C-alpha cells in the first residue's frame, strides 16, 4: 500500500536547498548511478538519460540565474516498498526578472544500497492548454470543484491558536547520520511532540518534513506546550540533540475534516521562521489573548516583516528559560 513519506519529503527539500546553493557534489549524491536515470527539464529538448546526467548536474544548475528567494507552494511525498516519489510546486524569484516563476517538479526515488536516490526528475512550467493546443481541459477541475462544494458542508470556523515547530539545522545532522537513521529520529521526535501537545489539550494536525502543525483552543495551552517541549529538549541527554524553533498565532481559522486553512495558519508559519534556535515566537494577537499571566514573561515587542504578508507585524518571544 502507498503511504505518505516524511523521509522522502525531507530528502526532496534538501535536494532543493542543494540546488539553490549549486552544491555539485551534493546534487550528484542525490542522483541514481543507474543507466536508467532520466532527467526532464522544462525547456524544449531537455530530455537527458544515463549516468552522464549525474556528472553534468552541477554545470546544468550553474547556468540557472541567481535565485533571490523561493517559496514552497506545495510539497508531498509517498513511498511503496523500494520506490517512492515527491511532487513540489515552487515559486522562484530570479535575479533580473520582475515577476516570480512557478516550477512544478516530480522526483521519483528508488532505494540503492540502502539509500534513496533520484532515478527520474521531471520539471514543468505551467501554461494554459488553450494557448498551446487551442483547448482548455475542464473535466477534472469541475469534478474537484464539485467535491469541494460537497466538502464545504463539513467545514467549520472558530478561534484557535496554531503552533508550528521546526527542527533547526536538520540537514547537517541528516547528512552525517544518514537518511534512514534520521527518519527514525524524526519519527520518535514527532511522538514526543504529540504526547506534549495532547497532554495540554491540543491536537497534532500534521507533520511537514521536519516540522509539525498543531491546534489549540486555548492560547495559554499552546504556550504551555511550547514551553514544555523546549524544556524537554534542553534536558535531553542523548544524541543527536535537537533544537526547535516554535511559532504561535491566534485567530479565526477554517477547519475542513483533518486540516486547517486561512491566513492565521499562514501567519503562524511565517512567525515560526522569525524564531531562532530554541526560541518561541508569538504574534501580538496571541500575547493579547493570553493577557497578564505570572506563569509567563515575554520580550518587548519587535516589529518584523513576514514573507508573503503585507505590512509589518509585531511579535514577542516567550522567556521560557527564566
Amino acid at each position: 500500500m502507498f503511504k505518505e513519506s516524511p523521509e522522502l519529503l525531507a530528502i526532496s527539500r534538501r535536494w532543493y536547498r542543494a540546488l539553490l546553493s549549486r552544491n555539485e557534489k551534493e546534487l550528484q549524491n542525490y542522483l541514481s548511478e543507474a543507466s536508467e536515470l532520466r532527467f526532464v527539464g522544462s525547456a524544449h529538448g531537455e530530455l537527458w538519460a544515463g549516468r552522464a546526467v549525474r556528472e553534468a548536474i552541477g554545470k546544468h544548475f550553474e547556468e540557472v540565474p541567481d535565485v533571490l528567494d523561493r517559496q514552497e507552494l506545495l510539497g508531498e511525498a509517498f513511498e511503496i516498498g523500494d520506490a517512492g516519489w515527491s511532487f513540489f510546486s515552487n515559486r522562484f524569484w530570479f535575479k533580473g526578472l520582475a515577476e516570480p516563476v512557478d516550477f512544478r517538479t516530480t522526483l521519483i526515488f528508488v532505494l540503492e544500497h540502502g539509500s534513496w536516490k533520484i532515478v527520474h526528475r521531471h520539471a514543468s512550467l505551467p501554461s494554459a492548454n488553450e494557448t498551446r493546443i487551442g483547448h482548455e481541459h475542464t473535466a477534472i477541475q469541475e469534478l474537484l470543484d464539485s467535491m469541494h462544494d460537497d466538502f464545504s458542508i463539513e467545514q467549520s470556523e472558530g478561534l484557535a491558536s496554531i503552533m508550528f515547530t521546526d527542527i533547526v539545522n536538520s540537514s547537517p545532522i541528516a547528512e552525517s547520520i544518514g537518511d534512514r537513521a534520521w527518519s527514525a529520529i524524526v519519527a520518535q521526535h514527532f511522538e514526543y511532540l504529540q504526547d506534549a501537545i495532547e497532554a495540554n489539550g491540543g491536537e497534532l494536525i500534521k507533520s511537514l518534513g521536519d516540522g509539525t502543525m498543531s491546534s489549540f483552543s486555548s492560547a495559554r495551552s499552546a504556550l504551555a506546550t511550547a514551553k514544555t517541549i523546549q524544556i524537554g529538549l534542553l534536558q535531553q541527554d542523548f544524541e543527536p540533540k535537537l533544537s526547535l524553533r516554535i511559532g504561535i498565532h491566534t485567530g479565526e481559522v477554517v477547519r475542513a475534516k483533518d486540516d486547517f486553512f486561512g491566513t492565521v495558519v499562514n501567519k503562524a508559519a511565517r512567525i515560526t521562521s522569525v524564531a531562532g534556535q530554541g526560541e518561541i515566537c508569538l504574534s501580538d494577537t496571541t500575547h493579547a489573548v493570553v493577557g497578564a499571566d505570572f506563569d509567563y514573561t515575554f520580550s518587548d515587542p519587535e516589529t518584523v516583516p513576514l514573507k508573503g504578508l503585507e505590512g509589518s507585524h509585531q511579535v514577542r518571544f516567550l522567556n521560557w528559560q527564566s
Side-chain angles (χ1 to χ4, degrees), residues 64-126:
V64 176
D66 290 339
V67 177
L68 303 177
D69 200 3
R70 176 180 74 94
Q71 180 184 1
E72 182 181 307
L73 304 177
L74 174 65
E76 56 185 4
F78 304 90
E79 63 179 276
I80 180 170
D82 292 344
W85 74 94
S86 69
F87 172 75
F88 277 79
S89 178
N90 287 298
R91 179 165 294 163
F92 292 91
W93 282 262
F94 291 103
K95 185 177 181 179
L97 294 182
E99 298 296 327
V101 180
D102 291 352
F103 278 88
R104 299 179 296 193
T105 309
T106 299
L107 302 175
I108 299 178
F109 294 86
V110 292
L111 278 173
E112 287 184 4
H113 311 297
S115 297
W116 288 109
K117 299 292 183 179
I118 299 169
V119 73
H120 185 103
R121 177 262 196 185
H122 191 129
S124 67
L125 293 165

Side-chain angles (χ1 to χ4, degrees), residues 227 280 282 295-300 317-322:
K227 183 176 179 179
I280 300 170
L282 60 148
D295 289 336
Y296 304 109
T297 60
F298 304 93
S299 69
D300 292 332
F317 294 87
L318 176 65
N319 299 323
W320 60 272
Q321 296 189 63
S322 60

Side-chain angles (χ1 to χ4, degrees), residues 191-203:
E191 289 180 7
Y192 163 69
L193 295 182
Q194 184 168 6
D195 289 343
I197 291 165
E198 293 179 350
N200 285 284
E203 180 182 0

Side-chain angles (χ1 to χ4, degrees), residues 19-37:
L19 186 156
L20 293 180
S21 65
R22 307 174 196 264
N23 189 323
E24 182 177 12
K25 292 293 185 184
E26 189 175 353
L27 287 169
Q28 289 176 345
N29 187 53
Y30 284 108
L31 296 179
S32 170
E33 297 180 7
S35 59
E36 290 79 11
L37 173 63

Side-chain angles (χ1 to χ4, degrees), residues 257-311:
K257 287 191 175 179
D258 297 326
D259 209 346
F260 282 81
F261 305 92
T263 56
V264 171
V265 175
N266 187 33
K267 186 170 180 177
R270 299 307 183 194
I271 287 173
T272 307
S273 65
V274 175
Q277 180 172 324
E279 290 185 334
I280 300 170
C281 185
L282 60 148
S283 67
D284 54 345
T285 305
T286 301
H287 178 261
V289 170
V290 171
D293 193 324
F294 294 112
D295 289 336
Y296 304 109
T297 60
F298 304 93
S299 69
D300 292 332
E302 297 182 20
T303 301
V304 299
L306 296 178
K307 183 178 175 181
L309 299 177
E310 293 184 359

Side-chain angles (χ1 to χ4, degrees), residues 56 61 127 153 186 201 236-237:
F61 285 116
S127 62
I153 297 173
V186 171
Q236 177 184 316
D237 59 357

